[in-house]
Amino acid sequence: FVLGSDAVKGDFRVSKDGIGMVTHSSPIEIWESPMCVGRKIEDMTAAQIEKCKMALTNYTFISVPELLAWAKDNVIVMLCVKESKDIARAITTLIENNATDRAFLEVHVSDMANLVPTLPDWDQVYYLAEAGSKGDIDTILAAKSLNRSFTFEFDPNYTQWGINITQVIEEQLHPHGMRSLAATTEDLPGVAEQEALFRLGVDVVYTYDTVNGIAARTNIDKERGVTPP
């Protein structure tokens, strides 16, 4: 946020006492928290999880309600639901925190097409549909839940799908009201690598390098005459 980000991503898992937590792995990996390595999120209470210090810092894990409270009026939040069984709790978490207009859920295309429409209040939330193959394009466009799937995420290895990504975006996604998201295959991409995705027609470029990502977006906006850049 301080660097100028418009949105942040957090991973969503559910604690033993039913609280959404911003955590990636279960069991917790050593590179996430040496203090709590090997422990499972679903076997710990929120209070226990919040005592786990992250690697190389004094920061601890936080709950999703805490993240949403901080993000209000600051940034949009994308929550990647790590387990299909937790999607229902993710939906209710956004509703309970009055965040359905400023946060959305990232779920797999298969879950978006088959599981999500069976869940209570699923249509009160917006989703990013995460794809893993070329066939997922047709799957999401035919899904009942299409009207709540506002963004399609291409796997970083989409170049192996044998598609023209620009054509897919312009002729299939945009006509259905969907936007596109993609990331480079590099963990810490440079400005040029991210600009290249924008020039292919990708609407949102996901990055682990905030400084370079914002520089790339600013350059592209200037190039396209967008004000402010």
Side-chain angles (χ1 to χ4, degrees), residues 30 39 55-56 65 74 87 94 122 149 155 159 185 217 219 227:
I30 192 168
R39 302 189 67 181
L56 306 178
N74 289 328
I87 296 175
L94 294 193
W122 72 274
S149 310
D155 184 276
T159 53
T185 54
R217 176 77 265 182
N219 292 344
T227 306

Side-chain angles (χ1 to χ4, degrees), residues 62-73:
I62 64 171
S63 71
V64 172
E66 288 178 277
L67 172 61
L68 294 174
W70 167 82
K72 187 177 181 181
D73 300 322

Side-chain angles (χ1 to χ4, degrees), residues 6-7 78 104 128 150-154 169 174 179-184 194 197-198 201-207 217 224:
D6 296 305
M78 178 173 83
F104 60 94
L128 176 148
F150 77 105
T151 302
F152 182 90
E153 179 179 355
F154 289 91
I169 292 169
H174 283 178
R179 292 298 176 257
S180 56
L181 179 147
T184 69
Q194 295 175 82
L197 286 174
F198 283 121
V202 175
D203 299 292
V204 180
V205 174
Y206 175 70
T207 183
R217 176 77 265 182
R224 295 173 178 175

Side-chain angles (χ1 to χ4, degrees), residues 8-12 77-84 86-87 90 94 103-109 111-112 116 125-131 150-156 181 206 208:
V8 295
K9 174 187 174 181
D11 292 318
F12 184 99
V77 174
M78 178 173 83
L79 293 170
C80 176
V81 186
K82 304 302 289 185
E83 301 283 347
S84 300
D86 291 338
I87 296 175
L94 294 193
F104 60 94
L105 305 179
E106 176 186 2
V107 301
H108 291 292
V109 166
D111 285 331
M112 194 67 220
V116 170
V125 173
Y126 285 100
Y127 306 84
L128 176 148
E130 179 188 7
F150 77 105
T151 302
F152 182 90
E153 179 179 355
F154 289 91
D155 184 276
L181 179 147
Y206 175 70
Y208 285 105

Side-chain angles (χ1 to χ4, degrees), residues 13-226:
R13 288 186 181 274
V14 180
S15 67
K16 183 178 180 179
D17 48 348
I19 306 299
M21 303 300 298
V22 185
T23 54
H24 181 274
S25 303
S26 183
I28 296 170
E29 299 282 357
I30 192 168
W31 51 266
E32 295 172 306
S33 174
M35 177 180 178
C36 294
V37 62
R39 302 189 67 181
K40 293 184 177 181
I41 299 300
E42 58 270 28
D43 293 338
M44 303 168 69
T45 66
Q48 290 173 323
I49 297 167
E50 289 182 329
K51 291 179 181 177
C52 295
K53 286 187 178 181
M54 297 182 190
L56 306 178
T57 75
N58 286 320
Y59 292 115
T60 60
F61 296 129
I62 64 171
S63 71
V64 172
E66 288 178 277
L67 172 61
L68 294 174
W70 167 82
K72 187 177 181 181
D73 300 322
N74 289 328
V75 292
I76 296 169
V77 174
M78 178 173 83
L79 293 170
C80 176
V81 186
K82 304 302 289 185
E83 301 283 347
S84 300
K85 62 183 177 60
D86 291 338
I87 296 175
R89 185 65 184 112
I91 291 171
T92 58
T93 297
L94 294 193
I95 294 173
E96 290 167 359
N97 289 274
N98 298 312
T100 56
D101 62 341
R102 53 190 178 86
F104 60 94
L105 305 179
E106 176 186 2
V107 301
H108 291 292
V109 166
S110 57
D111 285 331
M112 194 67 220
N114 302 303
L115 174 60
V116 170
T118 70
L119 300 174
D121 297 320
W122 72 274
D123 56 355
Q124 303 302 304
V125 173
Y126 285 100
Y127 306 84
L128 176 148
E130 179 188 7
S133 68
K134 177 181 178 180
D136 285 335
I137 300 171
D138 292 332
T139 297
I140 196 62
L141 293 179
K144 173 185 176 181
S145 54
L146 176 62
N147 65 327
R148 305 303 292 188
S149 310
F150 77 105
T151 302
F152 182 90
E153 179 179 355
F154 289 91
D155 184 276
N157 295 308
Y158 74 86
T159 53
Q160 299 175 16
W161 295 1
I163 63 169
N164 180 320
I165 190 172
T166 304
Q167 187 175 18
V168 170
I169 292 169
E170 293 179 352
E171 298 181 9
Q172 294 181 264
L173 300 182
H174 283 178
H176 284 88
M178 293 192 77
R179 292 298 176 257
S180 56
L181 179 147
T184 69
T185 54
E186 296 86 6
D187 289 336
L188 295 174
V191 174
E193 289 85 354
Q194 295 175 82
E195 288 178 348
L197 286 174
F198 283 121
R199 292 194 177 96
L200 286 172
V202 175
D203 299 292
V204 180
V205 174
Y206 175 70
T207 183
Y208 285 105
D209 191 316
T210 305
V211 173
N212 284 343
I214 291 173
R217 176 77 265 182
T218 301
N219 292 344
I220 292 295
D221 284 348
K222 288 180 179 178
E223 187 178 290
R224 295 173 178 175
V226 176

